[in-house]
Amino acid sequence: MKLPPTQRISRRKFIRDTSLSAAALAWAQRLWGADVSASLASTPAKKLGVALAGLGTYSTGQLGPALKETQFCKLVGVITRRPEIGAKWANDYGFPAKNVYNYDTMDKLAENPDIDVVYVVTPNGLHAEHVVKAAKAGKHVICEKPMANSVAECDTMIAACRDAKRSLSIGYRMHFDPYHQEMIKLAQGEFNPFTKIAAEFSFMMTVHQWRIEKKLSGGGPLVDIGIYSFHAACLAANANPLAVTAKEMPKKRPEFFTEVEETIEWTMEFPGGATATCRASYNDNVNRFRADSAKGWIELSPAYSYTGIKGSTSRGPLNFPPMRQQAKQLDGIARSILDKKDSPVPGELGRRDMVIMAGIYQSAATGKRVELKYS
Ligand code: NAD
């Protein structure tokens, strides 16, 4: 049902105003450090039903298993190009074969009350199309990072979910990781402000796949893994960057990386003078984050892995028990839907990151410092 015109206008204004950096940050901050295993305001009558769209490596290795551990949601359907794989998932996860869809039958999701949430885990260039289809079918949506290929696509996705009155979240799993929550706590408290941040994520890409095809990926290591380092840097700086300066490094394997960058380096400038120096590459193996302030430092290495993060601060080593980030993330988002609250990792935060990445690519292309505009 559409909102009456007066409400639509004020809601539009609200979205326009709140898509500014400070509000996106405030939304994201609300859950930082919170215990997502805590009980709901009211006990849900049922777990939310989730359908995974895209049954590739991440769904198979991480999200499916996480949905066996979640308290507030469970896997009840899939959207896939391959019906035989869908049937296998139905069998493995114990949901009915009727809950297997393909991308052309997503409108039929509207008739299926089992499914409350669609989690889009397809190649980046397809996120916008699949999120819009899910929203039009009246489902809440979780979309993997990076949110899309452009800021314009992010706007379309946010508008589709807003018009359908459905929640839109981004799969930012690090928000739910205890090492990153500790970093955020220090950034907002004892070590505030972090003024010097250095972050890098890289791995050796050797297999040809959609990640090196620009149309499906939207970019190279920056959008795939660099997003982790600058997102963490924003959390450490407790702000959004004002400007970026970036440089694409010469390719060592130009015949392999014909459409996207192989390595990119960039600097971000934050309000108050803090800076972050970041690097992302498909030709290296580094996974590291460090933030320094006059009062102390934190270092994580590896910093962005699913498990096995190691960290220490100027006060000593950090030692958190093993956990599954994706289960916490799914429950955190499910809880926000059940409680009818804003998502802890909203679409607006994904859009903010798209603005930053567009600025980084613009700076690399022009050789100039780029001031970022979030509205
Ligand atoms: P993948 O290639 O393993 O899986 C992609 C899936 O999309 C496959 O099941 C494929 O069949 C399906 N698909 C549908 N239409 C397609 C098309 N036209 N072309 C190609 N594939 C199509 O990829 P993945 O590693 O699972 O990544 C999927 C998404 O999840 C990406 O957006 C990626 O950035 C994100 N991801 C996030 C994390 C995280 O830690 N949050 C980790 C890995 C991947």
Side-chain angles (χ1 to χ4, degrees), residues 126-188:
L126 303 172
H127 288 179
E129 177 192 334
H130 296 153
V131 166
V132 169
K133 280 186 174 175
K136 283 195 169 155
K139 304 303 173 185
H140 299 287
V141 191
I142 308 174
C143 176
E144 257 315 315
K145 46 56 58 180
M147 182 168 169
N149 278 7
S150 68
V151 176
E153 282 185 348
C154 295
D155 287 336
T156 303
M157 296 154 85
I158 291 169
C161 291
R162 185 186 64 222
D163 289 350
K165 294 197 202 156
R166 290 295 176 265
S167 156
L168 173 59
S169 300
I170 308 301
Y172 286 135
R173 62 185 164 82
M174 304 315 306
H175 279 245
F176 303 85
D177 179 88
Y179 289 86
H180 283 247
Q181 288 183 334
E182 179 68 16
M183 178 268 283
I184 291 159
K185 220 155 66 189
L186 293 171
Q188 295 176 358

Side-chain angles (χ1 to χ4, degrees), residues 253-275:
R253 289 181 288 156
E255 70 294 346
F256 191 72
F257 298 103
T258 55
E259 297 185 20
V260 300
E261 79 278 6
E262 180 182 276
T263 301
I264 188 162
E265 297 180 358
W266 69 99
T267 304
M268 308 198 292
E269 299 165 39
F270 291 96
T275 58

Side-chain angles (χ1 to χ4, degrees), residues 303-326:
Y304 320 102
S305 310
Y306 303 144
T307 57
I309 292 178
K310 290 196 170 53
S312 50
T313 75
S314 42
R315 294 187 309 203
L318 297 172
N319 254 316
F320 294 106
M323 48 80 74
R324 195 187 280 278
Q325 296 159 353
Q326 291 84 359

Side-chain angles (χ1 to χ4, degrees), residues 27 37 51-52 95 99 150 189 222 247 249 271 303:
W27 278 332
S37 67
L52 289 173
F95 57 80
N99 290 2
S150 68
L222 172 64
K247 189 170 180 207
M249 307 314 282

Side-chain angles (χ1 to χ4, degrees), residues 8 45 77 104 123 178 213 231 274 369:
R8 277 217 301 274
D104 295 328
E213 293 172 17
H231 193 99
R369 174 180 180 272

Side-chain angles (χ1 to χ4, degrees), residues 25 44 87 111 251 266 294 367 374:
L25 193 66
E111 296 152 21
K251 288 176 180 166
W266 69 99
Y374 294 98

